[in-house]
Amino acid sequence: MAAGMAADPALAAQPADNTGAGQSATVVLDTLQVKGRAPKTGYKRTQFGKAWADVDHNGCDTRNDILNRDLSGVKHKLGTHDCVVKSGTLQDPYTGKTITFKRGQKTSTAVQIDHVVALSDAWQKGAQKLSKTTRTELANDPYNLLAVQGRANQQKSDGDAATWLPSNKAFRCEYVARQIGVKHKYSLWVTAAEKSAMERVLASCPAQTVPDYAGVRATSAQQSQQNDTQTSEEQAQQQQAAEDAAAAAAQAQQQAQQQAQQQAQQQSSGSDVYYQNCTAAREAGAAPIYQGQPGYRAALDRDKDGVACE
């Protein structure tokens, strides 16, 4: 697994019952009802129970359960029975970036827990008809929760696939497939625009199945890291090529300046004859050239005996 991802056994520990797990995401999408949004009237966070309730009765609230699942290098607050996460590292699936998490009043928001299907979106697409118990289950279902970059979570807000997708394109197929799984599990519908957006994403990955695990597989994170590595390598190669070209240009300019200087020196000595090299002098029938004769210069007199181009 890539850094920041939980091990496969932990990912598979949460049930994916009634999600359509393992089936083609496109096929499961076609089973969802397509309807318009219901009014948001009456929506409150409390309609989905107490925030981060300990629904699985493991002694740890849902937020810390997800942090423990999705972060690597986790350190816990003392006296919390390995529940409250004090620090750790997240490989963010939404942006592909590596984020350092540190618990604190001003730092905890760097990593937030996102509802893959936002609760407000769920409320407007069928959750109003669910029981309070089922809505509480939806809000705390590990299958519908991911630890992500806080900024990305805020940008998403309560958007669906038609209005927001992760900037990490390598994760979009899995993201959309999980939304489909959540909506199938809780009998939620999609709008026509939302379905079209999901179909466009899935067209690039026709083999995508509905995830059969909670959390994030390493594949999308690894792909993002590979893309970042390839981009870095390409940038390094481009930079090296630019540096080589600049060095060659500087060398050519230096040689031109030297030749111009030599010509100026020759002209200042009273001679209007200049040979760039001995080959030119021989072709002109002037070799050998004795010191004092037109065209003689020290650069052509290798052994410094007063005779150039012998």
Side-chain angles (χ1 to χ4, degrees):
M1 300 293 289
M5 298 298 168
D8 278 350
L11 293 178
Q14 300 295 340
D17 299 341
N18 303 319
T19 60
Q23 300 180 48
S24 164
T26 301
V27 171
V28 178
L29 173 59
D30 285 338
T31 69
L32 302 182
Q33 282 188 297
V34 180
K35 298 171 63 176
R37 286 179 177 271
K40 196 175 178 179
T41 306
Y43 169 73
K44 294 180 181 180
R45 175 60 178 84
T46 53
Q47 294 281 12
F48 291 81
K50 180 182 177 182
W52 308 133
D54 180 16
V55 294
D56 58 3
H57 306 296
N58 67 347
C60 192
D61 63 272
T62 302
R63 172 177 165 78
N64 280 290
D65 279 340
I66 302 305
L67 291 175
N68 276 294
R69 183 194 68 187
D70 292 352
L71 270 60
S72 65
V74 171
K75 292 184 179 179
H76 297 96
K77 184 178 179 181
L78 294 176
T80 63
H81 304 286
D82 291 342
C83 169
V84 178
V85 176
K86 183 178 180 181
S87 63
T89 302
L90 173 71
Q91 184 64 44
D92 176 37
Y94 284 178
T95 65
K97 296 179 180 179
T98 300
I99 301 172
T100 299
F101 171 78
K102 183 177 180 180
R103 180 181 173 84
Q105 185 174 358
K106 296 182 179 181
T107 57
S108 288
T109 54
V111 174
Q112 299 177 14
I113 309 303
D114 180 48
H115 289 93
V116 178
V117 172
L119 300 185
S120 173
D121 181 69
W123 179 260
Q124 297 171 76
K125 297 174 184 176
Q128 295 183 33
K129 298 180 180 181
L130 301 176
S131 67
K132 181 71 172 290
T133 299
T134 303
R135 289 199 298 267
T136 300
E137 178 187 345
L138 167 61
N140 293 275
D141 189 342
Y143 191 82
N144 190 35
L145 298 171
L146 292 176
V148 300
Q149 182 199 65
R151 188 180 299 109
N153 186 40
Q154 294 301 315
Q155 290 173 344
K156 174 186 174 180
S157 186
D158 62 352
D160 59 20
T163 59
W164 188 90
L165 290 169
S167 61
N168 178 14
K169 294 181 180 180
F171 185 67
R172 287 182 178 178
C173 287
E174 183 175 329
Y175 173 77
V176 166
R178 184 174 296 277
Q179 286 189 322
I180 292 169
V182 172
K183 294 204 166 188
H184 185 273
K185 180 175 182 177
Y186 291 96
S187 301
L188 306 177
W189 67 74
V190 293
T191 64
E194 180 182 10
K195 183 174 182 179
S196 294
M198 289 177 162
E199 288 174 334
R200 285 195 297 272
V201 171
L202 294 174
S204 67
C205 46
Q208 177 68 51
T209 58
V210 174
D212 59 355
Y213 52 89
V216 176
R217 291 287 193 204
T219 50
S220 58
Q222 288 173 336
Q223 182 62 49
S224 178
Q225 290 175 332
Q226 289 172 359
N227 291 341
D228 290 343
T229 299
Q230 290 172 353
T231 299
S232 298
E233 290 176 348
E234 290 172 358
Q235 291 175 341
Q237 291 173 355
Q238 292 173 353
Q239 182 177 356
Q240 185 62 50
E243 291 175 354
D244 291 345
Q251 184 178 7
Q253 183 178 9
Q254 183 178 12
Q255 290 175 346
Q257 290 174 343
Q258 290 176 344
Q259 291 177 357
Q261 184 178 11
Q262 290 170 350
Q263 288 176 337
Q265 289 174 348
Q266 184 68 35
Q267 291 173 356
S268 67
S269 68
S271 172
D272 59 356
V273 178
Y274 175 81
Y275 300 112
Q276 182 176 355
N277 50 46
C278 284
T279 299
R282 292 188 183 96
E283 290 178 350
I289 309 171
Y290 294 91
Q291 189 172 3
Q293 290 182 334
Y296 175 87
R297 55 192 175 90
L300 301 179
D301 188 357
R302 295 184 178 180
D303 55 6
K304 309 304 178 185
D305 63 351
V307 183
C309 301
E310 300 176 67

